[in-house]
């Protein structure tokens, strides 16, 4: 194979050669060559509680410093993907040696840092013997993650870097004019109010009504923003669409590997960028902290001694949730092929893929929750609960690349969340079976206990995809065309359901140059149930001994 390795070692550790890649519908060799992660957190927190009459006041704050040092070498060997783009069958493409895409990269060493701080106050007020009110406010400014070595790259169309003057316009770095250390300005106005109440309307402690509303800010996870060095000159990541062949993927192109980033001022000044540039991660200049609004209202009633029934409505709305979006897709045009994707991109010819970390996704969740709790008495306890819910979002998975269909039309990806379960019933019980407590019979008939957990739930939604880049855009996971009714009667026999759960003839491969019109997660898979049951026998040969 005419391909050099992206690197021979990482921090002195020799890298074992690994072939990586996948054949759609057959296998995916996604093993890691070497990934070293060192994550640490240092935290300081304080709190103060003050009771005054009917009020309980709480004040506090927290400061947290975090680091994530990550060495990643899982792309130093060639990675090929075969998806049937040429013959219509992915395995046939593999046998022909015709990959759809070829990627390779150098070792990446990220040293990510983050600081967070928060302050809160809360007032729990016993306004009446049967009414308690709670008011709170939390302030959580958001400080963008940054690189300890200031090796952060962002894409800002038209701006020229002074740090690396030979970089193509748009590729700029931390400490360039107007580029903060974290790529975006800090977000200071994150005030999160909370309010709740608990009311016993009849004063007999058998009925209670509770409600609450609050705003909760979030901080990105390290793995979402740990790709700052995935852009040149700090590392080099190459993607070749429709390479010449399996054996000669760089045919007609410069093979830049093995690669070492410039280490001195002279090397940086002499560095020349290999075009088109792949930007592994750019931070959007308008990034802010994502947040959730959560609210609930529930009624509890003691139906009989030891029996407690609860009915609740729970809602959540996520706002400005994160996504990695492709900023540089290739619009379809006459003569478009896989091979000329980079030539058709929006920022061609200087740029290939540009992944941008943004806050543009929203989500909603609504649920009716019912539960019955029989507290332990007379050797028996039971907890059973039912949830009827619906969750919507624009993306559910946290992945390294854009996982939607069309990066220029994110609204088309709104649908049922991947984790949406419409119906879910969970029951658990513990029963100490009645039996003799003394005499010879207790050794056989006494001391038995049964317990179990039963879970029954509806299925999860799923999406029908093509497995191909039919839009020839070089981005996303593209869906199929919907040409008929995909839904079949769920009341059919088990054999019929196993043979054909939905109607595959209702889907077709979209015409070349177009996206599929089928929605995201329009089908729901089969439900499932699971029972964990246990039966125990307890022996007590002595009062202080117990054998089970």
């Amino acid at each position: 194979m005419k391909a050099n390795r992206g690197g021979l070692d990482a921090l002195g550790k020799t890298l074992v050669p690994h072939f990586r890649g996948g054949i759609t519908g057959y296998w995916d060799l996604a093993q890691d060559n070497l990934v070293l992660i060192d994550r640490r957190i240092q935290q300081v927190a304080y709190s103060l509680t003050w009771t005054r009459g009917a009020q309980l006041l709480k004040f506090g704050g927290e400061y947290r410093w975090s680091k994530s040092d990550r060495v990643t070498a899982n792309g130093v060997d060639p990675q090929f993907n075969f998806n049937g783009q040429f013959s219509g069958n992915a395995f046939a493409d593999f046998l022909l040696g015709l990959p759809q895409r070829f990627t390779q990269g150098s070792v990446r060493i990220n040293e990510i840092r983050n600081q967070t701080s928060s302050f809160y106050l809360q007032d729990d007020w016993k306004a009446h013997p049967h009414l308690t009110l709670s008011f709170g406010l939390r302030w959580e400014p958001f400080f963008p993650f940054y690189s300890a070595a200031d090796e952060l790259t962002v894409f800002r169309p038209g701006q020229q870097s002074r740090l690396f003057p030979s970089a193509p316009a748009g590729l700029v770095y931390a400490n360039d004019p107007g580029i903060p250390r974290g790529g975006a300005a800090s977000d200071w106005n994150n005030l999160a109010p909370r309010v709740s109440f608990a009311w016993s309307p009849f004063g007999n402690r058998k009925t209670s009504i509770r409600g609450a509303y609050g705003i909760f800010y979030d901080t990105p996870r390290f793995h979402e923003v740990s790709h700052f060095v995935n852009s040149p000159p700090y590392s080099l990541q190459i993607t070749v669409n429709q390479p010449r062949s399996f054996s000669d993927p760089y045919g007609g192109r410069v093979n830049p590997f093995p690669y070492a980033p410039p280490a001195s001022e002279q090397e940086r000044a002499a560095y020349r960028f290999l075009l088109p540039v792949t930007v592994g991660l750019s931070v959007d200049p308008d990034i802010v902290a994502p947040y959730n609004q959560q609210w609930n209202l529930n009624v509890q009633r003691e139906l009989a001694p030891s029996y407690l029934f609860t009915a609740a409505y729970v809602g959540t709305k996520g706002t400005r949730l994160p996504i990695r979006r492709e900023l540089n897709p290739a619009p379809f045009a006459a003569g478009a092929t896989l091979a000329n994707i980079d030539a058709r991109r929006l920022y061609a010819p200087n740029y290939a893929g540009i992944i941008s970390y943004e806050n543009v996704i929203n989500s909603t969740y609504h649920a009716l929750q019912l539960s019955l709790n029989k507290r332990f008495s007379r050797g028996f306890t039971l907890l059973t609960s039912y949830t009827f819910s619906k969750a919507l979002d624009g993306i559910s998975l946290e992945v390294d690349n854009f996982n939607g269909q069309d990066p220029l039309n994110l609204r088309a990806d709104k649908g049922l969340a991947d984790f949406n379960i419409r119906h879910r019933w969970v029951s658990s019980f513990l029963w100490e079976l009645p039996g003799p407590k003394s005499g010879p019979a207790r050794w056989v008939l006494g001391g038995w206990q049964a317990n179990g957990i039963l879970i029954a739930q509806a299925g999860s939604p799923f999406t029908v995809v093509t497995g191909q880049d039919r839009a020839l855009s070089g981005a996303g996971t593209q869906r199929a065309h919907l040409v008929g009714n995909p839904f079949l009667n769920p009341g059919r026999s088990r054999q019929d359901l196993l043979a054909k759960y939905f109607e595959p003839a209702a889907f077709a491969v979209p015409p070349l140059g177009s996206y599929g019109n089928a929605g995201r997660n329009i089908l729901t898979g089969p439900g499932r149930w699971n029972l964990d049951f246990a039966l125990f026998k307890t022996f007590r040969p002595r009062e202080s001994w117990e054998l089970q």
Side-chain angles (χ1 to χ4, degrees):
M1 179 182 296
K2 298 179 180 178
N4 300 321
R5 307 194 69 197
L8 301 178
D9 63 82
L11 297 184
K13 295 184 179 295
T14 301
L15 303 179
V16 179
H18 276 165
F19 166 76
R20 287 165 51 89
I23 301 177
T24 301
Y26 292 88
W27 67 74
D28 183 12
L29 299 178
Q31 75 276 13
D32 288 336
N33 193 318
L34 174 69
V35 177
L36 302 175
I37 302 176
D38 179 14
R39 289 179 180 160
R40 302 182 187 183
I41 297 176
Q42 297 179 11
Q43 182 178 6
V44 177
Y46 66 90
S47 61
L48 174 66
T49 301
W50 180 30
T51 302
R52 182 183 179 184
Q55 291 180 281
L56 177 63
L57 302 174
K58 298 178 182 179
F59 310 87
E62 176 191 33
Y63 171 80
R64 185 170 55 199
W65 179 90
S66 309
K67 63 171 282 187
S68 176
D69 292 344
R70 179 185 177 108
V71 179
T72 309
N74 58 357
V76 298
D77 291 303
Q79 303 178 60
F80 297 90
N81 289 291
F82 302 86
N83 67 352
Q85 193 88 21
F86 303 100
S87 67
N89 182 281
F91 193 72
D93 282 2
F94 172 69
L95 296 177
L96 293 171
L98 297 176
Q100 172 239 357
R101 182 176 294 125
F102 159 74
T103 60
Q104 190 176 8
S106 62
V107 175
R108 287 101 65 198
I109 301 178
N110 279 281
E111 297 175 315
I112 311 303
R113 303 292 183 265
N114 177 244
Q115 300 180 62
T116 61
S117 60
S118 61
F119 306 91
Y120 71 89
L121 58 89
Q122 181 173 319
D123 182 7
D124 296 330
W125 177 33
K126 190 79 171 180
H128 186 273
H130 306 308
L131 176 64
T132 300
L133 302 176
S134 179
F135 306 93
L137 183 65
R138 191 177 183 92
W139 180 47
E140 295 183 276
F142 169 67
F143 308 114
F145 288 56
Y146 62 94
S147 166
D150 285 336
E151 294 179 337
L152 178 139
T153 309
V154 294
F155 179 70
R156 302 291 184 262
Q159 184 173 345
Q160 185 64 53
S161 172
R162 293 185 184 177
L163 196 63
F164 292 97
S166 63
L171 193 64
V172 290
Y173 302 86
N175 298 322
D176 265 327
I179 306 301
R181 195 178 190 190
S186 298
D187 181 19
W188 294 93
N189 61 343
N190 299 335
L191 294 175
R194 290 120 193 239
V195 60
S196 65
F197 74 91
W199 178 38
S200 179
F202 308 118
N204 56 12
R205 297 186 179 182
K206 290 190 175 183
T207 302
S208 66
I209 301 175
R210 294 178 173 88
Y213 169 83
I215 295 178
F216 301 84
Y217 285 90
D218 198 7
T219 300
R221 293 159 181 81
F222 265 119
H223 73 85
E224 295 178 325
V225 288
S226 61
H227 299 72
F228 288 158
V229 300
N230 285 25
S231 307
Y234 307 123
S235 75
L236 190 63
Q237 313 302 315
I238 298 295
T239 298
V240 180
N241 295 296
Q242 193 177 333
R244 175 179 292 178
S245 66
F246 191 20
S247 60
D248 188 16
Y250 282 108
R253 298 171 61 109
V254 175
N255 185 343
F257 298 108
Y259 176 84
S264 65
E265 291 296 333
Q266 293 77 12
E267 291 178 352
R268 294 189 184 96
Y271 185 85
R272 292 296 176 264
F273 288 78
L274 181 65
L275 302 180
V277 169
T278 296
V279 180
L281 183 70
S282 174
V283 176
D284 186 81
D286 298 322
I287 189 174
V288 294
Y291 65 92
N292 280 294
Q293 299 177 71
Q294 301 179 14
W295 58 90
N296 64 79
L297 179 66
N298 71 74
V299 178
Q300 287 187 323
R301 174 69 182 179
E302 186 181 58
L303 301 179
S306 301
Y307 284 88
L308 182 65
F309 174 75
T310 303
Y313 161 66
V314 176
T316 301
K317 183 183 185 300
T319 304
R320 304 204 70 168
L321 305 179
I323 184 178
R324 290 190 181 103
R325 185 166 71 94
E326 173 61 68
L327 293 183
N328 200 25
F332 185 79
T337 66
L338 277 178
N340 61 25
I341 282 178
D342 286 344
R344 293 182 287 108
R345 292 186 183 270
L346 297 177
Y347 296 102
N350 290 337
Y351 291 95
I354 302 173
I355 297 298
S356 176
Y357 183 82
E358 304 176 352
N359 295 107
V360 293
I361 298 297
N362 298 325
S363 68
T364 58
Y365 172 82
H366 300 277
L368 169 67
Q369 299 176 351
L370 306 175
S371 70
L372 178 64
N373 183 11
K374 196 276 182 190
R375 292 185 289 271
F376 187 79
S377 64
R378 297 183 180 180
F380 182 71
T381 181
L382 171 70
L383 176 61
T384 182
S385 61
Y386 167 75
T387 301
F388 173 67
S389 63
K390 184 176 183 180
L392 299 173
D393 62 16
I395 188 171
S396 301
L397 294 176
E398 297 175 352
V399 295
D400 288 348
N401 296 304
F402 177 64
N403 196 40
Q405 176 171 255
D406 181 1
L408 303 181
N409 182 18
L410 297 181
R411 290 181 179 273
D413 291 324
K414 183 177 180 180
L416 292 176
D418 295 354
F419 52 84
N420 180 75
I421 303 295
R422 184 60 57 90
H423 304 278
R424 180 175 170 86
W425 176 42
V426 180
S427 291
S428 62
F429 72 92
L430 185 150
W431 184 23
E432 293 182 347
L433 302 177
K437 303 294 184 181
S438 61
R442 70 185 175 94
W443 293 99
V444 178
L445 303 178
W448 287 97
Q449 175 184 302
N451 56 47
I453 301 175
L454 173 64
I455 301 175
Q457 66 181 43
S460 303
F462 64 93
T463 301
V464 177
V465 300
T466 64
Q468 302 178 17
D469 186 0
R470 298 297 295 176
L472 298 178
S473 67
T477 301
Q478 296 171 21
R479 299 188 288 271
H481 248 16
L482 187 63
V483 296
N485 181 11
F487 305 105
L488 298 177
N489 181 12
R492 294 171 297 139
S493 67
R494 178 179 175 83
Q495 290 74 18
D496 289 342
L497 289 173
L498 291 174
K500 184 189 288 188
Y501 188 74
F502 66 94
E503 180 54 72
F507 297 94
V509 175
L512 204 62
S514 64
Y515 292 103
N517 62 9
R520 170 176 165 261
N521 284 342
I522 61 173
L523 294 176
T524 300
R528 67 179 181 89
W529 66 272
N530 182 80
L531 174 63
D532 293 327
F533 178 79
L535 185 63
F536 298 94
K537 174 72 172 74
T538 301
F539 297 91
R540 292 186 175 88
R542 293 185 179 180
E543 185 177 347
S544 59
W545 290 13
E546 184 174 289
L547 177 65
Q548 195 172 69

